[in-house]
Amino acid sequence: MKRHSMHRLFFLLLPFVFVSSGFTWSSKGEEPCDTAKKVIDGISDVTPAADRSSAQKKVAKLCKEGAAADYLKGVDLEAAREVEDAISAYRSALKKDPSLPDAHGRLGLLLLQTGKREEGSVELFRAVRQKKSPLYAKALGGLFLKGKLYSLALESFKEGMPALKEDVALFNGMGRGYLGLADTAKAGEMFSEALRLDAANEVAHLGLAQVCEQEKKYKEAVSHLRSALAMTPDNRESHYRLGQLLEKMGETAEAEKEFGAAGVARNASPPDHLDLAARYSASGAYDRAAAEYDAALLQNPQMPGIREKLGDARMAAGHDLEAIAAFEDAMQRKEGSDRTCYKLGILNERKGDLDEAVTRFEEAIRLNNGNGDARRHLAEIHGLRGNVQEAIDEYRELIRRHGENPLNYFKLARLLEKKRDYKGATDAYLKAIALDADNIEAHREVARLYLRKKDPAEAEKHLREVLRLKPDDSAVRASLVSILLKQRRFDETTLLLEEEAKLTPANPESHYRLATIYAYRQKDDAAVGEFKKAVELKPDHARALNGLGKLYLKLDRQQEARDAFAAARKADPNLIMPVSFERGLDRDNPRPVVKKKAKKHPKSHPQAKRKKSAKKKRERR
């Protein structure tokens, strides 16, 4: 067989190596775009302009159209206070490379700034998973605090602590977190540290007033409240709290002044207070509503049904510990209901007291078997604690009692997987999809299960649905390509890879993959073009250079093949293919043959003895 025919045969067989090995695309060595990512590490809107400019020049040389360049553009826009444009730039960077922690972090902070709290929290969470950053940890802690997730808030604040030891807001946040967990001693330490840093800090004074009140140190609580009011004299809530404390201390006249400053009509009748409380609640003024319910109970402590409303108002205002006290008072007086138990469960869950939360949710279900919210929370806690069968039972009961909900089926499927009930899990995922055809996670998970049980046809259906809903999901696209290649469905494979190259034009791997399938299908010009694009984006892309060399060899462009193989070997000295092909090229210019020297054996070796004996025989002759 001729030399070029041999090379062509090898080239045509090469794609089947990809098929048999699962069609992986891993590469060795660091890409210029990866180096660019290191350049931008730590660059933000507060970085001096000269340093930002220097980073931009370096990145432009390394990866001009890459994610790092878009990130620096976002930083400049953020420094210029062009928030919406900065958000767009950070999004563009993350579309090209989701592994940029600072892009996630800066985007998260800007989203919070523009009121997009939920989306911002997701970006911040992604940032802190990829990189330890005091700034992002503190912001995430604040979000957890607003959500009453006190333990998580404290964890985040502690991550920021070493670098932010002079940050008053951080210590106040930790103080509020410890108050949420009913740890008044620790809360007092944190608020005191905040006051050490800023003696006129209103939040710290209010926090210490709450700590002192709970520890029944009323005089100290009054002192802190007066200090807070010196800074914000119109704070009605502080006036009301001060009035309550003064009343407990027997200073009625002073208390009346404070209640007046708070806008609470002390001479009103209990029904008037309830009417005002309802109006305040309707308008979202929950602190004032709570004050009116308090005033009504001061006048008539035996008034039924008010403590639960008081608890609702305090809970809505964010005063969880006071809300728990009101709800528990209602339960002791036999005024509570399954709803009261449910809310006590929620508040204890927020506090991190899961045992008490479970007790309250179970009590709510006992009082009302149809309380689906309590059952849902109970199922989630069981799942969190690893009580898988108990969680499964609760979700099944939820479905039986409250109808078919795609989220309940999805969570049930996840739990059934943990029990290795793969058929049951598959059925539950399919039920979730039947109820919500656009449930992307259910499609993704059931496709994985079908692949597990060697059913590529069903897996393909759901992978295609994921791509319909999220075309830029590279992992799902790779799984689908693998299925199609194994079935030799090359037209569809090519289409998928062409779509990928259009979606991610700055990704050299997308062009490399497309070039490989073009080469296999003997679309040589197209393959050369895609290999070249991959090399333009990543000049040391060894496998793309190798593929380009093999194509040139096939097209009898030997010098270009030689150059490509040399570049591939330089990019990755461990790559075997370029070396073997270069040796094939060198057959036209064979190297001089060097004779090997005969191997010397030691005297004791049998071969040496035989040689010695033969020599003696020759000498005797």
Side-chain angles (χ1 to χ4, degrees), residues 229 232-242 258 260-264 280 288:
L229 281 165
T232 54
D234 296 330
N235 189 320
R236 292 190 173 196
E237 184 186 350
S238 295
H239 280 295
Y240 180 74
R241 285 179 63 191
L242 182 55
E258 296 301 328
V264 175
Y280 287 138
R288 300 194 71 180

Side-chain angles (χ1 to χ4, degrees), residues 15-79:
F16 291 99
V17 176
F18 292 129
V19 175
S20 62
S21 62
F23 205 62
T24 58
W25 309 100
S26 62
S27 61
K28 296 179 181 178
E30 185 172 80
E31 299 183 21
C33 289
D34 290 334
T35 307
K37 283 164 64 176
K38 292 180 180 177
V39 173
I40 66 170
D41 188 35
I43 302 286
S44 73
D45 62 322
V46 296
T47 301
D51 293 342
R52 296 204 307 268
S53 178
S54 174
Q56 284 168 346
K57 288 174 184 175
K58 290 177 185 176
V59 167
K61 288 180 182 177
L62 290 163
C63 189
K64 188 176 181 180
E65 302 297 326
D70 284 347
Y71 172 76
L72 289 177
K73 180 182 175 184
V75 166
D76 274 352
L77 289 164
E78 188 178 355

Side-chain angles (χ1 to χ4, degrees), residues 279-344:
R279 289 184 198 173
Y280 287 138
S281 290
S283 65
Y286 298 111
D287 277 315
R288 300 194 71 180
E292 294 298 337
Y293 286 127
D294 265 330
L297 285 173
L298 281 171
Q299 289 184 338
N300 183 2
Q302 304 307 317
M303 186 180 290
I306 304 305
R307 286 168 179 81
E308 188 171 359
K309 291 180 179 179
L310 173 61
D312 287 340
R314 286 176 173 174
M315 188 176 178
H319 305 310
D320 287 6
L321 293 179
E322 293 93 332
I324 287 173
F327 286 135
E328 286 181 343
D329 195 10
M331 294 297 292
Q332 286 172 5
R333 291 171 175 271
K334 309 296 183 189
E335 295 176 7
S337 62
D338 68 294
R339 180 176 166 276
T340 313
C341 291
Y342 167 70
K343 291 192 174 180
L344 276 169

